[in-house]
Amino acid sequence: MQRILKFSLLLTALYIAATLVFGLRAHSLALVSEAGHNLSDFAALALSFVAVWLQTRPATDERTFGYQRAGVLAGFVNALGLMLLAGWIAIEAIGRCFHPVTVEPHLMMSVAAAGVLMNGLIAGLLWKFSGDVNIKSVFVHMLGDTISTAAVIVGGLLISLTHQQWIDPALSLLIAAMILWSSWGIVRETLHILLEGTPRALRMDELRAAVTNVRGVRGVHDLHVWSLTSQSHALSSHVCVDEGTSMEECEALIDRINHQLRDHFGIHHTTIQLELTECATTDGCCSPPEPEVVDGHSHHHHGPGGHHHDHAHSH
């Protein structure tokens, strides 16, 4: 993945220089907007490259999950940058509708043809890694570039045949709309992960039923599922078991639960707390016990009548 990103960065840098120089010479906003779009792609590729490198760094006491979220954050920033770029292109295009500029269609088509080849190649290389939301954001960039540069070729051909200069800003508006549409989907997905949302493909009622149906489970509550990355999910839950359940039975029970979670829901990082008595819940979460105040100091009561909890952690 890192080799592909390095190669993509080099190709994109060369193409940015070409589209900017020839776009200015051809007086084509569509071509200059392609240079701007590819500049955002360069930033996106660079950000993704740094994120991929960060994700390989080990976890520490300060960051116990390591830098797994770096890729998600990179995807979010990339998509926001794309939305800003789409706004700039749209404003410039609307201005050109009122003040047309003569463009050189043949130069426009030549440079755009090179862009289709380059962006198509990069998109093809990134496609097999597009399950990762970080790489997906770059893949969408490059796929969008391939389509928009192909549109520039068609626009150049139409301008050379009809001599209608409005075609160039109209194309730019189309490119801006496409950029905005594709980037909004990535903003929603990454923001959902950053806000600890439940993985979109997961049905909580199905997961709850699967755990409840495990032999030895009396009930499930305080159930939370979230994503570390678009492909890595974590779960924590309280599970009620029968009085008198032995340690060996508890371990076997946790193995059965983890088997369900791993094989049917793709969840590998779990923290499961076993309880003999269900604790009080508020909004689906366990309420902390009320402290007793003695001589101005808080004390939690842990007498014979207190709740007994067994903790089990599985990674």
Side-chain angles (χ1 to χ4, degrees):
M1 194 189 291
Q2 285 183 320
R3 280 201 305 273
I4 288 170
L5 287 171
K6 280 180 186 176
F7 177 67
S8 302
L9 278 166
L10 178 63
L11 273 184
T12 306
L14 292 171
Y15 184 67
I16 288 167
T19 48
L20 186 60
V21 170
F22 291 113
L24 292 171
R25 280 181 61 182
H27 306 294
S28 168
L29 177 63
L31 213 49
V32 172
S33 72
E34 276 303 297
H37 190 184
N38 278 277
L39 185 61
S40 79
D41 284 346
F42 184 84
L45 284 162
L47 196 58
S48 293
F49 180 78
V50 171
V52 168
W53 173 76
L54 277 175
Q55 282 175 211
T56 63
R57 296 185 66 187
T60 63
D61 285 347
E62 195 174 62
R63 289 181 176 83
T64 55
F65 279 116
Y67 292 83
Q68 292 187 58
R69 284 273 174 86
V72 178
L73 191 58
F76 178 69
V77 173
N78 283 340
L80 281 184
L82 267 178
M83 292 176 80
L84 291 173
L85 179 70
W88 175 80
I89 291 171
I91 291 166
E92 287 292 311
I94 291 166
R96 281 216 175 181
C97 287
F98 294 103
H99 306 285
V101 176
T102 304
V103 300
E104 293 180 24
H106 299 292
L107 187 57
M108 195 175 152
M109 287 189 288
S110 301
V111 179
V116 169
L117 290 172
M118 184 207 73
N119 291 319
L121 175 64
I122 294 173
L125 291 170
L126 292 172
W127 180 74
K128 69 174 180 176
F129 297 109
S130 60
D132 184 288
V133 75
N134 172 29
I135 301 302
K136 182 183 176 183
S137 69
V138 186
F139 171 73
V140 168
H141 272 260
M142 306 318 294
L143 186 64
D145 276 357
T146 307
I147 297 167
S148 61
T149 43
V152 170
I153 295 173
V154 175
L157 183 62
L158 289 173
I159 292 168
S160 67
L161 294 172
T162 64
H163 303 289
Q164 296 293 314
Q165 302 303 322
W166 60 265
I167 293 172
D168 184 62
L171 265 178
S172 301
L173 281 172
L174 193 65
I175 292 168
M178 189 180 64
I179 295 168
L180 195 64
W181 177 77
S182 61
S183 54
W184 173 241
I186 295 168
V187 165
R188 283 183 62 214
E189 185 180 354
T190 51
L191 199 56
H192 187 74
I193 294 171
L194 292 170
L195 291 175
E196 307 286 359
T198 304
R200 292 196 184 278
L202 190 144
R203 291 279 303 274
M204 286 295 280
D205 54 343
E206 290 178 4
L207 188 145
R208 194 176 283 107
V211 176
T212 306
N213 290 335
V214 170
R215 181 167 45 86
V217 174
R218 278 179 50 209
V220 179
H221 64 99
D222 210 15
L223 178 62
H224 303 280
V225 187
W226 66 99
S227 298
L228 301 172
T229 70
S230 56
Q231 296 173 303
S232 174
H233 312 303
L235 173 146
S236 70
S237 178
H238 290 201
V239 173
C240 292
V241 298
D242 290 320
E243 189 94 34
T245 305
S246 68
M247 183 63 74
E248 290 77 13
E249 289 170 327
C250 284
E251 289 176 358
L253 175 64
I254 288 171
D255 285 340
R256 290 196 292 273
I257 293 172
N258 280 324
H259 170 74
Q260 285 286 335
L261 296 173
R262 183 178 61 250
D263 296 353
H264 299 286
F265 300 95
I267 300 171
H268 295 267
H269 187 108
T270 65
T271 305
I272 299 167
Q273 178 171 307
L274 300 184
E275 300 175 337
L276 300 181
T277 309
E278 189 167 329
C279 60
T281 59
T282 305
D283 297 328
C285 297
C286 268
S287 305
E290 288 294 325
E292 294 179 1
V293 179
V294 182
D295 298 330
H297 298 284
S298 293
H299 296 279
H300 289 297
H301 178 63
H302 295 289
H307 295 314
H308 171 71
H309 298 286
D310 287 317
H311 294 271
H313 301 279
S314 169
H315 300 286

